[in-house]
Amino acid sequence: MLKRLAFILLAGVLGAAALLLFSIGFGRLSEVRQLDRLPMTPLNALNDGLYATSGRIEGGTGSLTAPYSQDSVVFVQYLLEEEYTNSKGERKVRTLDSGSSATDFSLVDGTGRAAVNPGLQIGQVQWQVRQTHRMRTGSRIYTEHSLRAGDRIEMLARFDRSRQRFELSARVAGLNTIVSRSSLKIEGGKSLLIAGLWISSATGLLAIGLAVLLVGLDIHRYWVFVLVMTLGLMAVLWTIGLVQLKKDWQVAAGLYGNRSAAVAAAVPNPAALADLYAYYLMIERSAGQWPDSLLFRLAAPYSFRVPSLSEENQNRVRNRLAEVQSSRLAQQHWVLLLVVACWLSTGLLIYFALRAIRFKRLVEFIPTSKTTGLTYGISELFGLIDVDERYPALISSVNQQQCVAYQYQIEEKRGSGKKARWVTLDEGGASTVFWLKDELGRVAVNPDGAKLIFPATKVSHQGKIRRTESWLPPFRTIYCLGMAGIANAQASRLSLQNSADFRMLITTQTEQEVVRGQGALGFLLTGLALGTSLLAGTVWLAGAGSLTPLDLLQVSLLVPLTLALITTILHYNGLVFLKNRVDKTRADIDTLLQRRHDLWPKLQASVQAFLAHEQDLQTALRAVREGQAKITGQPHDIAAQLARERQLVARLEAYPALKGNELVLTFVAQMRRSEDELALIRTGYNAAVELYNTQIEQLPDLILAKSFGFSVVPMWQG
């Protein structure tokens, strides 16, 4: 109960963290969208409000000297580092001093000049400047990033018309001030990618949270998982996306309204009016898709009124904006690498998720047998480990524990500190055949090569030596899932064993615990796969500069598509497994029949040497051989042939001379052994056919069976 409660609490924490990341990511996305809507405003068109502008720096009234290069600058960010060797002999770097300073300066373009005031809170400004100085003196490293007179910059900042200057420390509508030595669009591209990472990370956390919640609620049905994931993730993404989109347009309406009011209140200025119209066109361009277009149309009559401008001036503005691009990351190769890495991770996670869920479904497919009702093929048993004189227990090598299987590892700790590591000195293990007993009987189990989940482990330390040993003690209740094959000692009985195409599982967990564990693992891996697939889609759109709330809503369609792909692969592989199980069992029958066929010529030669005068017996032998040649492979033909063989064996035993011959006795014993084996395999074949035929008649496997040609297989008769 406490474990389930812990899962539910963890799901709540993951959900809360996802909502926080959604808020941060959509906030960054809104900043980029506002930046993309702002035209580059000439300095002669400035009024009160937020502006994107560009120009060349000219020194102001004050002066600022860089601390290391002693250059005259208007902004400097400095860092002093020192290399040193710690007590472990490792080379490290530590910061001795850092900081930033700025002074007033002027921004000049072809239309005018504007003063720039960095203010007192220059740390709130995003200074995207280049490294201008780096020097190493002994073990110390001096680095500076600065802006100087003559540098060209692009800037997003608030302009105060009453003071006729940009106030860099002031924020408008929650947007940060940006001063970039390169381009605002490049900075917007970086922010767009970061926003995509935040949002996709939030989606991944939400997917994992939903998976953890299902585990906590003890829900392990895959169709429930698919339904919850599809509806849950898409509902959250669409709800949060639409809410954030509405906020985004409210901010846009506020910024446009403030600029429109400032232009109307100021002295008529054609440049300001043209800039306002450019702002309107950029907003209109950002509303090209639904639901942006719907929100824009609803708000346009009240918040986005078109400024009065002549048609000639409108065309001039349109031509100027025709080549303006949206924010886009400059390093596209990093985007491509990240997307490829995400898709590779998604593929690996889906692969391991399918393995876990497929194993869970297999456990659910195979009914738990009793020891007396074991059938040939993959089977599961639940019972008690038993040992006796025939199959005695082992003694573990390290702790001298009585067991039926154990493994150990002896390690030595070498080195110290961070360089310390454990080196394996010896490792190994052993296992023995044991009995699995239930209320009806017992069956031999051979654990060689099986996946053993040991219930007991002991770790002991002696100086720098660590000994770890795990063992499976007798008289413990275990669950086994493995291949029920012919027992070597007795052909009429089956034993549970490992096989080349299926690894046996032996655990002290119950069947339900195995199902829950594999289901939980599959759900969590699928949640991670959904997160990485959404990350790939989001990063791709962000790198291309087209990440909008609508794009995110479209990316959310990857959830049902990915789940549909996983579900289709899962059910198809399930049908292939069941069909292969039928084919393999039938192949085992064919192999056994071929072995019997090869015995008859040898038996005929032996009988002819002793009873050449017995025409009746010779005729019966010839009839059996001719009958084998006419077998079509159909169950009714094989059953008739087996009946003839049994009659012939009965006749052979009626002849004392043959009955006492060792060679003939050997052949007859082999025929009887193969008859016993055939009876067991035939029962397993019918069980496999029944399970397969039942599955292809159930939804959704019925659709796949019709599409891919999975047909009903006849049962073995006779």
Side-chain angles (χ1 to χ4, degrees):
M1 184 63 185
L2 291 177
K3 187 176 181 180
R4 292 175 59 184
L5 182 60
F7 273 107
I8 294 174
L9 291 176
L10 177 59
V13 171
L14 291 173
L19 292 178
L20 177 61
L21 295 185
F22 272 128
S23 178
I24 297 173
F26 276 106
R28 295 293 293 266
L29 178 59
S30 180
E31 290 180 14
V32 178
R33 283 168 61 84
Q34 303 306 332
L35 175 62
D36 282 344
R37 290 176 179 136
L38 290 169
M40 295 301 293
T41 302
L43 296 180
N44 66 338
L46 297 174
N47 283 287
D48 282 325
L50 184 69
Y51 285 90
T53 189
S54 63
R56 179 174 51 83
I57 295 176
E58 284 190 357
T61 56
S63 61
L64 183 64
T65 301
Y68 306 142
S69 64
Q70 301 301 308
D71 292 337
S72 178
V73 297
V74 297
F75 167 79
V76 62
Q77 186 176 24
Y78 55 90
L79 176 66
L80 173 58
E81 299 171 298
E82 182 183 39
E83 288 187 347
Y84 70 100
T85 303
N86 61 14
S87 58
K88 299 175 183 178
E90 300 170 334
R91 296 291 292 175
K92 298 288 184 179
V93 177
R94 58 189 171 196
T95 299
L96 299 180
D97 190 20
S98 64
S100 58
S101 300
T103 187
D104 293 350
F105 60 91
S106 295
L107 190 66
V108 180
D109 67 3
T111 66
R113 174 191 301 268
V116 179
N117 176 31
L120 299 177
Q121 304 296 326
I122 60 174
Q124 296 180 355
V125 180
Q126 295 183 20
W127 300 91
Q128 303 296 336
V129 298
R130 299 172 183 172
Q131 178 179 298
T132 53
H133 178 76
R134 183 175 178 84
M135 181 179 66
R136 177 187 293 269
T137 303
S139 61
R140 296 192 172 188
I141 305 171
Y142 301 86
T143 306
E144 289 179 349
H145 294 73
S146 63
L147 288 175
R148 309 178 184 187
D151 289 343
R152 295 199 62 84
I153 62 171
E154 290 189 3
M155 190 168 63
L156 175 68
R158 176 183 176 274
F159 187 77
D160 187 340
R161 185 172 179 80
S162 63
R163 298 184 179 181
Q164 286 294 302
R165 67 183 186 186
F166 283 101
E167 299 287 351
L168 300 188
S169 296
R171 289 166 58 92
V172 179
L175 300 177
N176 291 320
T177 298
I178 303 175
V179 179
S180 174
R181 185 72 172 79
S182 55
S183 167
L184 288 178
K185 298 300 182 183
I186 293 178
E187 302 305 327
K190 295 177 183 177
S191 295
L192 196 63
L193 180 61
I194 294 173
L197 293 174
W198 282 114
I199 294 171
S200 54
S201 299
T203 308
L205 281 180
L206 183 61
I208 297 172
L210 288 174
V212 170
L213 179 62
L214 291 176
V215 174
L217 296 176
D218 198 22
I219 297 174
H220 53 82
R221 294 294 179 187
Y222 187 70
W223 68 268
V224 177
F225 171 78
V226 171
L227 185 64
V228 170
M229 279 293 180
T230 302
L231 297 181
L233 284 178
M234 292 192 67
V236 171
L237 281 173
W238 279 74
T239 300
I240 294 179
L242 292 174
V243 169
Q244 294 294 332
L245 191 62
K246 184 178 179 180
K247 291 181 179 179
D248 174 74
W249 279 101
Q250 289 174 345
V251 173
L255 291 174
Y256 184 82
N258 291 338
R259 182 176 297 192
S260 180
V263 171
V267 177
N269 183 351
L273 197 61
D275 178 68
L276 181 62
Y277 183 68
Y279 193 10
Y280 173 83
L281 292 179
M282 297 292 286
I283 292 174
E284 185 181 43
R285 180 189 297 182
S286 70
Q289 296 178 315
W290 186 91
D292 284 309
S293 57
L294 175 62
L295 294 173
F296 176 73
R297 285 197 304 269
L298 292 175
Y302 311 101
S303 304
F304 302 107
R305 296 181 179 178
V306 184
S308 299
L309 202 65
S310 66
E311 184 175 351
E312 180 183 355
N313 289 333
Q314 287 184 6
N315 292 333
R316 187 179 296 112
V317 174
R318 289 180 185 276
N319 293 333
R320 178 166 61 88
L321 298 179
E323 297 182 359
V324 175
Q325 301 293 325
S326 59
S327 294
R328 179 184 175 92
L329 191 68
Q331 295 84 8
Q332 287 295 302
H333 60 282
W334 292 113
V335 175
L336 182 60
L337 288 175
L338 185 55
V339 170
V340 170
C342 288
W343 282 121
L344 290 176
S345 300
T346 300
L348 287 174
L349 289 169
I350 289 177
Y351 170 75
F352 288 110
L354 283 172
R355 285 184 57 181
I357 299 173
R358 185 169 61 244
F359 188 82
K360 165 188 168 293
R361 284 167 56 84
L362 175 63
V363 174
E364 293 173 326
F365 276 152
I366 306 298
T368 302
S369 304
K370 296 298 182 181
T371 53
T372 54
L374 194 63
T375 57
Y376 182 87
I378 297 177
S379 304
E380 64 180 27
L381 292 173
F382 185 75
L384 188 73
I385 297 175
D386 195 16
V387 292
D388 58 11
E389 294 80 6
R390 183 175 179 182
Y391 296 134
L394 299 173
I395 301 298
S396 66
S397 61
V398 176
N399 296 290
Q400 304 300 304
Q401 295 288 330
Q402 191 180 41
C403 59
V404 295
Y406 69 91
Q407 65 181 24
Y408 68 90
Q409 185 178 36
I410 302 176
E411 301 167 291
E412 181 183 20
K413 188 176 184 180
R414 296 178 181 175
S416 60
K418 292 184 178 180
K419 293 185 178 180
R421 58 192 179 95
W422 290 98
V423 178
T424 300
L425 301 179
D426 188 21
E427 61 182 352
S431 63
T432 185
V433 179
F434 60 87
W435 296 108
L436 188 146
K437 184 172 67 174
D438 61 15
E439 63 272 17
L440 298 182
R442 64 181 187 175
V443 169
V445 177
N446 184 358
D448 184 35
K451 179 182 179 181
L452 288 163
I453 301 178
F454 294 98
T457 299
K458 183 177 180 180
V459 180
S460 59
H461 293 266
Q462 184 178 3
K464 293 186 176 182
I465 302 298
R466 179 174 67 184
R467 294 178 174 86
T468 304
E469 187 175 61
S470 302
W471 64 92
L472 180 62
F475 313 113
R476 291 288 298 268
T477 302
I478 60 169
Y479 168 83
C480 294
L481 178 65
M483 179 68 182
I486 305 298
N488 292 329
Q490 194 172 359
S492 61
R493 294 181 63 90
L494 296 170
S495 67
L496 210 60
Q497 54 199 260
N498 201 44
S499 66
D501 55 353
F502 186 81
R503 189 181 182 191
M504 181 167 61
L505 171 68
I506 301 177
T507 176
T508 54
Q509 295 177 323
T510 64
E511 179 182 356
Q512 285 302 313
E513 289 173 335
V514 173
V515 169
R516 292 192 189 100
Q518 292 297 311
L521 178 61
F523 290 175
L524 292 175
L525 291 174
T526 304
L528 286 171
L530 291 175
T532 52
S533 65
L534 289 170
L535 177 60
T538 305
V539 168
W540 178 260
L541 291 173
S546 61
L547 184 63
T548 66
L550 175 63
D551 293 323
L552 291 173
L553 300 183
Q554 293 173 343
V555 167
S556 68
L557 296 176
L558 286 172
V559 174
L561 291 176
T562 303
L563 289 175
L565 175 64
I566 294 175
T567 303
T568 302
I569 295 174
L570 183 66
H571 283 266
Y572 178 81
N573 287 348
L575 292 180
V576 170
F577 171 80
L578 294 178
K579 183 65 168 61
N580 288 343
R581 184 186 176 200
V582 172
D583 293 341
K584 181 183 182 304
T585 310
R586 180 53 191 265
D588 291 340
I589 293 176
D590 293 339
T591 300
L592 185 58
L593 291 174
Q594 181 64 43
R595 192 169 67 196
R596 290 170 62 87
H597 178 274
D598 295 340
L599 285 173
W600 282 110
K602 300 176 182 178
L603 179 61
Q604 183 179 17
S606 299
V607 172
Q608 286 174 339
F610 280 87
L611 295 176
H613 60 283
E614 292 293 342
Q615 187 64 35
D616 184 44
L617 188 58
Q618 298 294 336
T619 302
L621 275 168
R622 187 164 49 253
V624 169
R625 294 195 62 186
E626 290 175 354
Q628 287 181 337
K630 297 177 181 178
I631 291 179
T632 63
Q634 297 300 323
H636 62 278
D637 289 340
I638 297 174
Q641 178 67 10
L642 292 177
R644 288 193 293 268
E645 291 179 8
R646 284 193 289 269
Q647 293 175 2
L648 178 60
V649 171
R651 288 189 179 187
L652 288 172
E653 292 179 339
Y655 288 84
L658 289 180
K659 190 174 181 180
N661 181 263
E662 293 183 2
L663 186 59
V664 174
L665 286 177
T666 299
F667 285 137
V668 171
Q670 290 179 351
M671 299 301 295
R672 285 181 170 172
R673 177 183 175 89
S674 63
E675 181 75 15
D676 292 337
E677 293 178 2
L678 186 59
L680 292 173
I681 299 176
R682 181 177 57 193
T683 304
Y685 174 80
N686 283 340
V689 169
E690 181 181 10
L691 185 59
Y692 166 74
N693 288 341
T694 301
Q695 195 63 31
I696 64 174
E697 294 175 357
Q698 297 177 346
L699 288 173
D701 297 280
L702 176 62
I703 300 174
L704 290 174
K706 296 292 185 183
S707 302
F708 293 96
F710 290 93
S711 57
V712 174
V713 176
M715 301 284 284
W716 185 281
Q717 303 294 332

